[in-house]
Amino acid sequence: MISKPWLTSSTSRGARSAMLIFSKAPKDPTGSRAIPLFRQNLGGLVLRHSELRLLCSYPEDGRTQGSPCRWGKWCDPEHSGCWSEDCAYSSSDLKSMLQVYQRCPQQPNGPHNHNPMNNAGYNEVVLDEKSWSENLPRTVAAFFFTTSPSCQSRCREDARQVHRSFLDEYRLTSMQVPLLLLDVKNWQAPFSAVDPGQEDGVSSARPVAGPPQRDAGPQLTPSKACPNGECSQCETWCDKRWHCAGNVKACLGCSFCMYE
């Protein structure tokens, strides 16, 4: 893991890639039925979608090294078949992309998921680098590592160090930007808050504060308490289609919730 993965790099081509996970997404086609992350042996970031601009998306690994969005060649959202590699879904056609993602199962060793360290079955969303950079630190809602057997002590310690570095750089607390454990086999509530004071301890009851205010640096934006842990009543942060991730008892914004 690089030391500051929240920063953009000279090789990012004006874009950063991420993926969407949701409870009705296709399971990992290799048979593990895990949440199909791009890499399970590394930690990652939970992003706040309200601070980011979507450029395009793909229902599989988009192989975007050459061009993030296929030089503007857009897929037909009315096409009823599966994805062909020569087009990207525009930002206005995210729903069509997700329909294809759910409809067309991926092969474990298919042509698009070619990295042997990756799980098959993930999607790719391409995000505008400018909005990512300009809205830091609010771009990042949380950091995580996974329960995958490939994420052992080095993977977890890297995630802890990166999380601490981010908090130090922006003078934030773990209440504002938490460190999470992502259970790759738990499709309904995959995230739980990690206790920074324990090596591998997880606290499901630790409250988490809202995101830092846009113009006030590290100051807190108070969040409503979630009745019974549900975000459906917290319209300040989430509309009624979203619910809190895991057992975290505060609404952090829709990007921190799982889409149902």
Side-chain angles (χ1 to χ4, degrees), residues 215-236:
D215 297 322
Q219 298 298 314
L220 287 173
T221 298
S223 64
K224 296 181 180 179
C226 297
N228 300 318
E230 294 297 325
C231 276
S232 59
Q233 303 301 315
C234 297
E235 296 181 5
T236 298

Side-chain angles (χ1 to χ4, degrees), residues 9 12 17 32 40 43 47 52 73 91 104 110 113 145 155 157-158 169 193 229 232 243 248:
S9 70
S12 58
S17 288
S32 73
Q40 291 195 359
L47 302 175
L52 294 161
K73 183 176 180 182
S91 59
C104 298
N113 298 300
F145 55 84
C155 164
E157 182 54 32
D158 283 350
E169 179 157 334
S232 59
H243 62 83
V248 177

Side-chain angles (χ1 to χ4, degrees), residues 69-237:
C69 294
R70 293 294 189 276
W71 297 276
K73 183 176 180 182
W74 305 119
C75 300
D76 179 3
E78 303 300 324
H79 179 60
S80 60
C82 295
W83 177 61
S84 61
E85 196 175 328
D86 63 347
C87 64
Y89 285 86
S90 73
S91 59
S92 60
D93 291 328
L94 181 62
K95 179 179 179 180
S96 297
M97 183 280 284
L98 290 175
Q99 289 173 339
V100 173
Y101 176 56
Q102 291 179 288
R103 183 174 66 241
C104 298
Q106 298 180 30
Q107 299 302 314
N109 298 306
H112 308 303
N113 298 300
H114 53 86
N115 188 328
M117 289 299 294
N118 301 346
N119 269 359
Y122 56 88
N123 57 67
E124 181 173 354
V125 292
V126 181
L127 306 169
D128 172 49
E129 180 182 67
K130 186 172 184 289
S131 63
W132 178 302
S133 299
E134 288 181 349
N135 293 326
L136 284 169
R138 291 177 58 88
T139 305
V140 180
F143 291 78
F144 70 86
F145 55 84
T146 78
T147 58
S148 170
S150 62
C151 185
Q152 296 298 318
S153 57
R154 175 62 183 272
C155 164
R156 295 184 175 212
E157 182 54 32
D158 283 350
R160 290 176 184 275
Q161 290 181 3
V162 169
H163 177 240
R164 286 193 293 266
S165 179
F166 181 85
L167 297 183
D168 290 344
E169 179 157 334
Y170 293 103
R171 296 186 298 166
L172 300 172
T173 71
S174 59
M175 296 287 286
Q176 293 169 285
V177 181
L179 179 63
L180 306 175
L181 179 67
L182 171 56
D183 184 344
V184 297
K185 295 296 183 69
N186 187 340
W187 280 84
Q188 298 305 315
F191 289 111
S192 53
V194 173
D195 187 340
Q198 298 182 31
E199 181 63 25
D200 290 306
V202 175
S203 171
S204 62
R206 182 166 61 85
V208 183
Q213 293 181 9
R214 184 183 301 276
D215 297 322
Q219 298 298 314
L220 287 173
T221 298
S223 64
K224 296 181 180 179
C226 297
N228 300 318
E230 294 297 325
C231 276
S232 59
Q233 303 301 315
C234 297
E235 296 181 5
T236 298
W237 300 115

